[in-house]
Amino acid sequence: MLVVHDDDDPVTAAFILLGSLIAITPILVIAGGALVDGCLLFVTSTMVALVALTMHPGELRRFTELVKPVAIVLAIPCIWMLIQIAPLPSRSLINPAWLSTSIALGKPVIGTISLDIGATLLSLARYCFIAAIAIVTTAVALDRQRADNILSMLTAITTCIAAALIPLQFGYLHFFGLELSIKRADPVNIAVIGLILACATAIRAYERYEMRRDKNGGSTADAIAIAPSGIAFVICLSAIMIDGDGVLFFSALCGVSVLITVSAIRRLRLGPWGHAGIAGIAIVVAVGFFSSAPATKDLDLTLALSNQTHIAVTERMLSDVNWAGSGAGTFEALLPIYRDVDDTYSYELPTAAAWTAIEMGRLFLWGGVILAAIAALTLFRRALLRGRDYFYAGTGAACIVALLVSFFSNAGAFGLSESFLISVVYGLALAQSRSWNTQAFAGG
C-alpha cells in the first residue's frame, strides 16, 4: 500500500511528479521524439527546482554527501558531448568517412567531431534528463517511506510492462510498433529490471515480517504480503524466458544472484573468506558462460553477443571509428554513408556497446564500463554495511550488473523508458545506501 506524506512535507510535490513519471513509463516504451523529451525535461526541471527550494537543511546535508562524488562522474558525458560539438583546429579527430562523403550528402565539413550537431544536442538534453532524474530520486528517497513507495511503484510498473510484452512475443499487439528491434529490446530489458525488483520487494516483505514477528509475533497478513512479489517474479521471468535470448537470461540471473548473495552473506554472517569464496564462484560462472556462449568470435567484441543477423553496416562503422567517436546521436547520420546500395534494411540497430563505441568512442565505452562496475561494487559493499534497508543498495548493484551484461547483447539500454527506470533505481539505491544515525554517516 502506497502512503503519501502530509501536504506540509516540502518534497511531496516532487515526489508526486516523480511518481507520475513512473506511472507513465509504459507510454514511454511506445512514444518518443523531441517533443516527448522536451516535455520530460520541463517536468524534471520543475522537480529539480522544487527539491532545491524546499529541501530541509538536514536532508540537504545528507543529499550533498551522497551526490558530491556521483555528480563529478555524471558530468563527464556532458563535457565530452560538448567537446564533440565544439569546432576543432585539427581534423585528426573527425571521422574519415564523413570527410570523404560530405560533398555527396550535401553537408559540408564543419570541423567538429560530431557529424550532426543537432542530434548531439538532443542526446545531451536526454542525458541531462536521465541524470537529473537520478539526482531528484536521490533527494526524494532520503525518506524511508517515500523510498518504500518508489520501490513498490517501480515493481508494479515493470511487471505491467513485462505482462504486456508476453502477448507481443506470441505475435499480438503489433499495432504498437514494438516489433522494431530497439523498442522490443527496451521492454525485454525492463522485464529483467522487474525480476530484480520483485526479488527486492520479496526480501523487504520477509524482513518486515521477521521484524514484526520478533516484536509481537507477526501475523498471517505479513506473510501473505510476499505473494504479490512472487506473482511479479513469475510474470517477469515468463517474459524473459519466452523471449529466448540466452544472454538476456544470463543478465537476469546475474542481477538476481547479486541480490540473493547480499542477503545470504548478511544472514549467514560470512566473513572475508566467505566473501572471497562467493566472488570466486561468480567469476568462474561468468567465465564459463562467456566461454561457452554462442558468440561470434570473428566479430568486434561489442557485437560478439548480439542476437542480430544483419550487422554488416555496424561492423563497417566500427572498423572506421576512432577513439573520439562520431558524435552522440549520429548513428542514423552515418547509415547513408555505410549502407550498400542494394541494402533493403532501412536501419540496423547494434548493441548498446557498439552504439556507444561508434558515437562516443571506445575510450568512453570502456571507461563507462569500468565506472559502472565501480558503482555496482560500491553499492554492494554499502548493502553489506547497511541495516534493515540493505535491499535498496543491493537492488541498485544488481540492476547495474544486469545492465552491463545486456549492454553487449542489445540496444535496449538507450530506450527512453529503460534508461529512465535505471536512473530511478540508481537514485533510490544511492539515497538508501547509507544509514544516517551517526554524524560520521557510518552504515549500520
Side-chain angles (χ1 to χ4, degrees):
M1 179 177 179
L2 300 184
V3 179
V4 180
H5 279 211
D6 296 334
D7 292 337
D8 60 353
D9 186 342
V11 192
T12 295
F15 169 69
I16 292 175
L17 287 175
L18 179 62
S20 301
L21 289 181
I22 294 174
I24 66 170
T25 304
I27 300 176
L28 300 182
V29 176
I30 305 166
L35 180 60
V36 174
D37 289 349
C39 293
L40 293 175
L41 278 169
F42 174 77
V43 175
T44 306
S45 62
T46 302
M47 289 192 291
V48 171
L50 288 171
V51 168
L53 294 174
T54 62
M55 183 176 285
H56 289 306
E59 286 193 335
L60 181 60
R61 184 167 63 96
R62 294 164 53 190
F63 172 76
T64 303
E65 288 290 332
L66 286 171
V67 173
K68 189 186 301 182
V70 176
I72 298 174
V73 176
L74 291 178
I76 294 175
C78 291
I79 296 173
W80 181 236
M81 281 186 266
L82 290 174
I83 292 175
Q84 287 184 324
I85 62 176
L88 299 176
S90 172
R91 294 185 176 183
S92 60
L93 297 181
I94 301 176
N95 193 300
W98 182 247
L99 293 172
S100 60
T101 58
S102 59
I103 297 178
L105 292 176
K107 295 183 178 181
V109 177
I110 54 178
T112 62
I113 295 174
S114 176
L115 309 185
D116 189 331
I117 294 178
T120 302
L121 288 173
L122 289 175
S123 296
L124 176 61
R126 176 172 287 194
Y127 174 78
C128 289
F129 160 68
I130 297 302
I133 285 294
I135 292 174
V136 168
T137 304
T138 303
V140 170
L142 287 173
D143 178 81
R144 179 180 286 112
Q145 185 58 62
R146 288 194 295 261
D148 265 0
N149 290 345
I150 293 172
L151 179 59
S152 298
M153 285 188 288
L154 287 171
T155 306
I157 289 299
T158 52
T159 302
C160 289
I161 294 174
L165 180 63
I166 293 175
L168 169 67
Q169 293 167 327
F170 283 113
Y172 302 101
L173 301 181
H174 283 292
F175 57 88
F176 281 137
L178 292 178
E179 66 274 6
L180 301 181
S181 58
I182 185 172
K183 288 188 175 181
R184 183 158 182 168
D186 197 10
V188 172
N189 287 358
I190 290 175
V192 174
I193 299 174
L195 190 72
I196 298 170
L197 291 171
C199 290
T201 53
I203 292 174
R204 179 185 63 181
Y206 186 74
E207 291 285 344
R208 303 288 163 81
Y209 167 72
E210 280 198 331
M211 182 180 65
R212 292 188 179 99
R213 185 186 61 186
D214 294 339
K215 289 183 177 180
N216 52 27
S219 67
T220 305
D222 293 330
I224 295 177
I226 302 177
S229 300
I231 295 172
F233 184 90
V234 171
I235 292 174
C236 294
L237 181 61
S238 299
I240 297 169
M241 296 293 290
I242 293 172
D243 184 72
D245 187 337
V247 178
L248 195 67
F249 176 77
F250 180 72
S251 72
L253 180 63
C254 288
V256 172
S257 298
V258 168
L259 192 53
I260 293 176
T261 298
V262 171
S263 183
I265 290 175
R266 292 174 58 88
R267 287 186 170 276
L268 299 177
R269 302 181 184 277
L270 299 178
W273 286 107
H275 297 182
I278 291 177
I281 294 173
I283 293 173
V284 170
V285 171
V287 171
F289 172 81
F290 287 107
S291 298
S292 60
T296 307
K297 308 302 181 182
D298 57 345
L299 287 179
D300 188 275
L301 182 60
T302 60
L303 293 172
L305 296 177
S306 173
N307 56 7
Q308 297 183 32
T309 56
H310 306 289
I311 55 176
V313 172
T314 306
E315 288 186 89
R316 290 193 289 270
M317 290 182 185
L318 286 168
S319 64
D320 282 348
V321 70
N322 55 32
W323 68 268
S326 60
T330 59
F331 182 80
E332 293 185 2
L334 279 173
L335 279 176
I337 301 175
Y338 286 92
R339 184 188 298 134
D340 293 332
V341 176
D342 57 348
D343 192 353
T344 57
Y345 300 96
S346 57
Y347 51 82
E348 294 186 32
L349 297 168
T351 63
W355 202 338
T356 303
I358 292 170
E359 294 186 349
M360 303 292 284
R362 293 183 186 273
L363 180 62
F364 183 92
L365 166 65
W366 296 113
V369 169
I370 293 172
L371 289 175
I374 293 174
L377 287 172
T378 301
L379 289 175
F380 186 88
R381 180 178 178 275
R382 291 185 181 181
L384 296 179
L385 298 174
R386 191 70 166 91
R388 61 179 179 173
D389 293 328
Y390 69 90
F391 49 84
Y392 289 110
T395 301
C399 286
I400 292 175
V401 170
L403 177 66
L404 279 175
V405 178
S406 65
F407 200 72
F408 290 84
S409 173
N410 58 52
F414 287 133
L416 179 59
S417 54
E418 183 187 351
S419 55
F420 166 74
L421 289 174
I422 283 291
S423 66
V424 175
V425 170
Y426 180 74
L428 176 63
L430 183 63
Q432 290 294 320
S433 64
R434 287 186 177 182
S435 175
W436 304 95
N437 295 329
T438 64
Q439 190 173 8
F441 306 120

